[in-house]
Amino acid sequence: MPVAPTVASTLGVDMPAEEFRRHGIAVIDRLVAHYASLHDQPAYPAVSPIDLVPLFDGPVPEHGEPLDAILADWEWKILPNSSIQGSPRFFGWVNGGGTQVGTLAEALATGLNPNPGGWRAAQAATVIENQTIRWLAELMGLDATAGGLFVSGGTMANTAALQMALRATATWDIVADGLQASDRPSRLTVYMADHEAHVSFKKALDLLGLGRNALRLVPSHDDFTIDTAALEAMLVADRAAGMTPFCVVGHAGSINVGAIDDFAALADITERHGLWLHLDGACGALGAILPELGGRYAGIERADSVSFDGHKWMGIPYECGCVLARDASRLKRTFGVTASYLHEQPDDALEAFDFYDRGPQMSRGWRAMKVWMSLRYYGAEGYRRFFRRTIDNARYLHELVAGHPDWEVVQPEPSLYIYSFRFRPAGVAEADLDDLNARLADEVKARRVALVMTTRIRGRVTQRFSIANHRTTRDDIREVFEAMTRIGRELAGQGAD
Ligand SMILES: Cc1ncc(COP(=O)(O)O)c(C=O)c1O
């Protein structure tokens, strides 16, 4: 219902309290309707940003508008033209489904608007961040010496971890001279499994000025985990060839198949060779909370650093990544800065609450609030329940694929919630299968069945589902799988069976 603007709302910064309340309720009403209809909204609107440009095009607003007019765009322009992350049929990338408690936490966080770069601007926020990081570290099985902080996402967490690795292993004055030092060793290199290496490491190497050739891809086993014997042989050969290995990266849930490397075997190697061990756990580090997966996470506590994304499997609203260091002092040794205007205090104990010199950012948003509230609201037990459901969904999909003659299994039964599989009906030539799988994913989106995507497994185009959403049920999985089979047969010119 339209609300007439008041003089205060159009001329002043702040609205009168009653008007703010009315608009706040209007916003909450929209969100209530949104959350209530997540099962009914198509996950994918089948429009592109190019289609939408005219809808949002216009001159810079010279005069303010009533908030009701702006909010009306939510229904008419924004919601119907958005992919719905919260939909139980959103299987793209590794996107989390979001939660109501996360939404409320964001409202409170931005309402107070602290800047937890330094504790003086954010006393409670910085304590909450340290506490939340401690909870996450404990849930992952890291020692009490671990520390960390929230960053924008897995890419920044991986970048920060590589920066810590460089600092920790550098034999020259890297703080003063960086990579421009004349006594810097040549060809600094990083190692990870060849198949599942996430593109975020290319960005990290770009940002650190190391160059993409610094990434050395190690052969992987049939189950896509890193071949540790091959890794060790490669380290020795690379050293002999004049390279300077400084970091090995293991996966705690890889991008296409959710692979979990053998952390203990990796730690044995990195300890033997004096290298930094980083675990990319953006997708799956928190799987350590499931006792039934316990054995798979053995050795995580020996990693020098771990990255994790709250905005993936935990469903924390974007953005929310974090980087953890086994030895918390590594953060300050890597990111520490001083400046007279920062007003550092001589008290060491208080420094633990200054995040500007424990991570890559100065000013920061209060990301911890939404994780802190979510962990308190659902508890570890709640997350165990959610995670088990997503894994059960992935395994159910694997069962459907394995039991259907039109589909091909391309990976082992999933340990986590990411699963790749291939449409391969009899009678279609191998040479046409990549194209068929790509068209199938496009068609499933165009018909608004679900948001599905493809990847390449060992070079061949496959379907790839990330079933991170806690709302997804076995019915969703079965119905989408059946629809994909029907559409696939249609595209292959085979009709319904
Ligand atoms: C294994 C892995 N590492 C890193 C990332 C990067 O995370 P973000 O997109 O939050 O930067 C992703 C994202 O999907 C990922 O799957």
Side-chain angles (χ1 to χ4, degrees), residues 241-262:
M243 296 182 205
T244 310
F246 72 96
C247 181
V248 172
V249 179
H251 281 115
S254 67
I255 181 71
N256 291 311
V257 299
I260 304 171
D261 286 328
D262 182 342

Side-chain angles (χ1 to χ4, degrees), residues 94 152-156 158 198 200 251 253-255 280 282-283 309 311-312:
V94 193
S152 56
T155 303
M156 276 316 300
N158 287 336
H198 192 265
S200 55
H251 281 115
S254 67
I255 181 71
D280 182 356
C283 300
D309 266 351
H311 57 218
K312 292 184 164 58

Side-chain angles (χ1 to χ4, degrees), residues 412-468:
E413 179 183 63
S415 306
L416 301 177
Y417 56 95
I418 298 172
Y419 184 66
S420 290
F421 55 110
R422 195 170 196 232
F423 189 57
R424 190 188 185 147
V428 177
E430 177 62 40
D432 297 329
L433 285 174
D434 281 359
D435 179 58
L436 178 59
N437 274 274
R439 284 191 298 128
L440 172 54
D442 285 345
E443 198 58 25
V444 170
K445 285 192 284 290
R447 296 191 197 183
R448 299 184 181 205
V449 173
L451 198 165
V452 302
M453 297 180 71
T454 61
T455 188
R456 280 181 186 269
I457 298 292
R458 306 269 186 231
R460 302 183 312 156
V461 176
T462 68
Q463 308 301 316
R464 175 187 168 283
F465 273 27
S466 165
I467 314 172

Side-chain angles (χ1 to χ4, degrees), residues 196-322:
E196 296 289 277
H198 192 265
V199 72
S200 55
F201 286 93
K202 287 188 181 158
K203 281 192 178 286
L205 293 170
D206 288 349
L207 285 166
L208 295 173
L210 287 166
R212 295 184 187 186
N213 288 341
L215 192 59
R216 303 280 293 147
L217 296 175
V218 180
S220 47
H221 296 296
D222 287 348
D223 67 357
F224 304 93
T225 58
I226 191 166
D227 179 338
T228 50
L231 167 66
E232 191 143 32
M234 205 165 167
L235 288 170
V236 171
D238 281 4
R239 273 215 172 103
M243 296 182 205
T244 310
F246 72 96
C247 181
V248 172
V249 179
H251 281 115
S254 67
I255 181 71
N256 291 311
V257 299
I260 304 171
D261 286 328
D262 182 342
F263 306 150
L266 288 177
D268 287 345
I269 293 173
T270 51
E271 285 164 15
R272 220 168 15 247
H273 289 262
L275 306 176
W276 184 275
L277 174 59
H278 173 61
L279 300 182
D280 182 356
C283 300
L286 216 52
I289 67 173
L290 299 177
E292 61 272 31
L293 292 182
R296 306 295 305 277
Y297 288 80
I300 191 171
E301 73 288 350
R302 293 166 66 192
D304 294 292
S305 55
V306 178
S307 50
F308 171 68
D309 266 351
H311 57 218
K312 292 184 164 58
W313 208 10
M314 267 187 104
I316 305 291
Y318 287 88
E319 303 166 339
C320 187
C322 76

Side-chain angles (χ1 to χ4, degrees), residues 129-176:
E129 180 147 356
N130 272 337
Q131 177 65 53
T132 310
I133 288 286
R134 257 210 312 281
W135 283 343
L136 288 175
E138 188 181 321
L139 289 171
M140 287 173 200
L142 304 182
D143 291 341
T145 53
L149 78 169
F150 290 98
V151 292
S152 56
T155 303
M156 276 316 300
N158 287 336
T159 305
L162 286 196
Q163 195 170 340
M164 281 193 284
L166 253 183
R167 287 275 164 99
T169 54
T171 50
W172 72 101
D173 188 353
I174 188 170
V175 176

